[in-house]
Amino acid sequence: MSQELSIRPLTQDAFKPFGQVIEADPATMRLINGGTTERFHALGTAETLGEGASVILNIFRGQPRRFPYSVDMMERHPFGSQSFHPLQYRPWLVVVAEDEGGKPGQPVVFLARGDQGVNYRANVWHHPLMAIGGVSDFLVVDRAGPGHNLEEHFFSEPYVIPEFQL
Ligand SMILES: NC(=O)N[C@@H](O)C(=O)O
Ligand code: NI
């Protein structure tokens, strides 16, 4: 019987082991451009490792996942961070896991608001993009460069994200 995963709200503190939550935090705000613009400063850091690596910006158009959903794998990018930011203010799911001896532990599922993005630090286990409720575009900042920047792990016993109400 697959273990059911609970869904919790995405907060900076809860997400700290995995990276940063990208949101308009008033504590980071500084007025610029003659007071016409609020700059929410340095919300995350793009990491790229290795000679010849670069930071790239992408748009991912995600198909909505259906629930109950079987989490049968996780992945990580050893040579760089990866951030996702929703472009249509639609909630989405963030699924991460601590590393346990080179494999992901039990996944942790966060419900992100439509104004919250995340930046996975390099080598953090996560599930590929999980759009919900409709086709959703995300601005994705990650790494291009030499080396195989993708490690996948498939669970012998998948976990399940049950149906849920927003
Ligand atoms: N493969 C790819 O670029 N996307 C994944 O890394 C992901 O986390 O969605
Ligand atoms: Ni990824």
Side-chain angles (χ1 to χ4, degrees):
M1 172 77 170
S2 297
Q3 168 124 19
E4 258 197 19
L5 300 172
S6 61
I7 301 174
R8 65 200 70 185
L10 179 63
T11 66
Q12 285 287 359
D13 279 353
F15 196 70
K16 247 187 193 49
F18 309 105
Q20 304 92 30
V21 176
I22 309 298
E23 56 189 344
D25 175 0
T28 69
M29 195 280 283
R30 53 186 68 171
L31 273 180
I32 59 173
N33 301 343
T36 65
T37 304
E38 295 175 311
R39 177 184 172 125
F40 297 91
H41 181 68
L43 301 175
T45 304
E47 300 167 86
T48 58
L49 302 163
E51 190 67 32
S54 57
V55 176
I56 56 173
L57 293 94
N58 320 266
I59 287 177
F60 283 24
R61 180 159 294 162
Q63 296 298 313
R65 305 292 183 159
R66 306 243 175 272
F67 297 88
Y69 181 84
S70 178
V71 178
D72 59 6
M73 62 83 66
M74 300 285 273
E75 64 170 37
R76 61 181 177 180
H77 309 297
F79 301 131
S81 58
Q82 187 174 49
S83 78
F84 291 82
H85 206 87
L87 297 177
Q88 293 132 320
Y89 286 95
R90 186 176 290 132
W92 58 296
L93 288 190
V94 175
V95 183
V96 287
E98 303 263 12
D99 184 60
E100 291 179 1
K103 294 178 181 172
Q106 177 167 319
V108 178
V109 183
F110 292 103
L111 175 63
R113 297 190 315 263
D115 64 338
Q116 290 181 306
V118 294
N119 184 40
Y120 301 125
R121 264 195 295 277
N123 224 29
V124 165
W125 289 109
H126 59 280
H127 188 278
L129 176 60
M130 292 202 76
I132 60 177
V135 176
S136 306
D137 287 358
F138 292 77
L139 178 67
V140 175
V141 179
D142 59 10
R143 174 209 185 261
H148 189 56
N149 193 29
L150 172 63
E151 179 182 355
E152 295 176 311
H153 174 84
F154 291 83
F155 293 115
S156 52
E157 180 67 48
Y159 296 86
V160 171
I161 301 175
E163 288 188 75
F164 61 96
Q165 297 299 320
L166 284 177

